[in-house]
């Protein structure tokens, strides 16, 4: 009710024109930020001469700071940024100081909407889910119950700004220095092609904890063994700072040559490594999105999340999912509270069969 009142009270009419300075807002998390690169590319195509700043958290910024469509990164800090009134006002002042002509917000939060209203940016385009976009003067209605891919939802916001329907894939360029670094690491470790890159972690970020998104280590190792053997491929296991035990568990169950690079690579190096691999295999995680957007042939093992919403938004991926009942309000997880892989998820047998077919395609 409050959002409806505010929406009626705040005019929603804007003429975009040709903005000189644009701020693009998708602060978190890695997967969402990577999926937003489709909208970023469409925005750059629409305004090739504009200066585009991406407002993003420091962790996620590492994944996209080298993107050719970005002129600058606006570090929004660790508070993501709007958990308190102090954070909201700080962020509004930060935006005001940027002298932006146009803001494009891919955030559904009413606090983000309010911060943009307070920023004084003249053209404020953003997602309006349930009236929460009251602070925007170019509102893009979103139905939270509709099964739409996040990248396509983000593209709607940029299409509204452009005045026409736009399309692009999620994309992350492989930086030359990262590619050189990875090739040097591979040579030093004596790793020759072909090799598979795999990340058994995921399901944890500052906004949510959902360990059920991880394919069980035993099935993960079995899948790697059976996919790698016919190709004579080795395996490189990746992991973040908290993934050491999980990666070691998978590695112990492998019957082939494998190395573990846990917390050793930058995001740019991970993208370069994935692009060099025979295939990248991972869970529904930010790193899998990053690998796919970097041009890797990618498999995403999906559990209690909907591939129609969260699969990689790229042309060369395979999303493995056993359909389960999902919450009707657009929530990210399955409605079944006791969801588990053994009963509800894809089996190793099915994963292997479909991955081998995908490789042969």
């Amino acid at each position: 009710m409050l959002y409806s009142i505010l929406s009626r009270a705040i005019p929603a009419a804007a003429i975009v024109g040709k903005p000189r300075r644009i701020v693009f807002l998708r602060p978190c998390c890695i997967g969402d930020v990577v999926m937003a690169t489709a909208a970023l590319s469409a925005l750059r195509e629409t305004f090739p001469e504009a200066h585009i700043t991406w407002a993003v958290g420091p962790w996620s910024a590492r994944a996209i700071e080298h993107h050719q469509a970005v002129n600058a990164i606006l570090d929004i800090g660790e508070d993501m940024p709007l958990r308190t009134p102090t954070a909201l006002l700080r962020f509004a002042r930060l935006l005001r100081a940027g002298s932006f002509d146009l803001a494009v917000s891919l955030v559904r939060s009413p606090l983000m909407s309010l911060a943009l209203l307070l920023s004084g940016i003249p053209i404020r385009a953003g997602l309006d889910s349930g009236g929460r976009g009251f602070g925007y003067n170019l509102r893009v209605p979103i139905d939270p119950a509709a099964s739409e891919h996040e990248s396509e939802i983000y593209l709607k916001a940029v299409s509204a700004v452009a005045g026409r329907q736009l399309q692009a894939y999620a994309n992350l360029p492989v930086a030359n220095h990262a590619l050189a670094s990875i090739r040097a690491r591979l040579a030093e470790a004596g790793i020759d092609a072909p090799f598979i890159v795999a990340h058994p972690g995921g399901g944890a970020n500052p906004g949510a904890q959902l360990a059920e998104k991880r394919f069980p280590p035993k099935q993960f190792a079995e899948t790697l063994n059976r996919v790698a053997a016919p190709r004579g491929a080795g395996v490189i296991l990746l992991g973040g700072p908290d993934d050491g035990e999980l990666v070691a568990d998978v590695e112990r169950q492998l019957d082939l040559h494998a190395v573990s690079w846990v917390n050793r690579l930058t995001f740019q190096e991970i993208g370069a490594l994935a692009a060099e691999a025979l295939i990248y295999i991972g869970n529904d995680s930010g790193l899998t999105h990053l690998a796919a957007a970097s041009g890797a042939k990618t498999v995403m093992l999906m559990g209690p999340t909907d591939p129609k919403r969260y699969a990689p938004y790229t042309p060369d991926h395979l999303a493995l999912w056993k359909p389960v009942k999902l919450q009707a309000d657009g929530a990210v997880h399955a409605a079944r509270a006791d969801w588990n892989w053994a009963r509800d998820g894809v089996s190793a047998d099915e994963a292997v069969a479909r991955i081998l077919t995908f490789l042969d395609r």
Side-chain angles (χ1 to χ4, degrees), residues 178-190 261:
L179 187 59
S181 174
I182 280 301
R183 287 176 175 171
R185 284 180 180 270
L186 291 169
E188 183 181 357
W261 287 352

Side-chain angles (χ1 to χ4, degrees), residues 4 7 12 15 19 85 97 127 135-136 160 172 174 193 200 209 241 301 307 332 347 351-352:
S4 297
S7 294
I15 300 175
L127 305 181
Y136 307 135
L172 281 175
V174 174
Q209 300 291 323
L301 297 157
V332 300
S347 68
V352 169

Side-chain angles (χ1 to χ4, degrees), residues 257-268:
H257 176 65
V259 297
S260 297
W261 287 352
V262 176
N263 202 31
R264 290 182 57 185
L265 305 182
T266 67
F267 286 140
Q268 292 185 43

Side-chain angles (χ1 to χ4, degrees), residues 130-221:
R132 289 179 286 181
F134 59 85
Y136 307 135
N137 52 13
L138 184 55
R139 299 169 190 157
V140 181
I142 299 299
D143 179 1
S147 185
E148 294 181 277
H149 197 283
E150 283 294 288
S151 287
E152 292 176 353
I153 291 173
Y154 299 161
L155 280 163
K156 284 184 177 182
V158 180
S159 295
V161 170
R164 66 184 190 277
Q165 186 172 348
L166 301 173
Q167 182 58 49
Y169 283 120
N171 62 94
L172 281 175
V174 174
N176 289 334
H177 69 85
L179 187 59
S181 174
I182 280 301
R183 287 176 175 171
R185 284 180 180 270
L186 291 169
E188 183 181 357
I191 300 171
D192 297 319
F195 58 86
I196 294 170
V197 176
H199 175 229
N205 60 59
Q209 300 291 323
L210 196 62
E212 292 86 355
K213 292 169 76 173
R214 298 176 179 173
F215 201 46
K218 182 178 180 181
Q219 287 95 309
F220 204 107

Side-chain angles (χ1 to χ4, degrees), residues 2 13 21 111 125 134 189 222 242 253 260 281 285 346 348 350-351:
L2 174 61
R21 294 181 58 81
L111 295 178
F134 59 85
E222 179 184 352
D242 299 322
Q253 300 179 70
S260 297
I281 301 175
S285 71
V346 173
E350 182 178 359

Side-chain angles (χ1 to χ4, degrees), residues 3-40:
Y3 299 151
S4 297
I5 295 172
L6 290 171
S7 294
R8 289 195 295 270
I10 299 171
I15 300 175
V16 175
K18 293 185 177 181
R20 296 177 299 104
R21 294 181 58 81
I22 302 171
V23 61
F24 184 78
L25 299 105
R26 179 61 264 186
C28 181
C29 295
I30 297 295
D32 295 318
V33 165
V34 172
M35 286 188 285
T37 59
L40 171 72

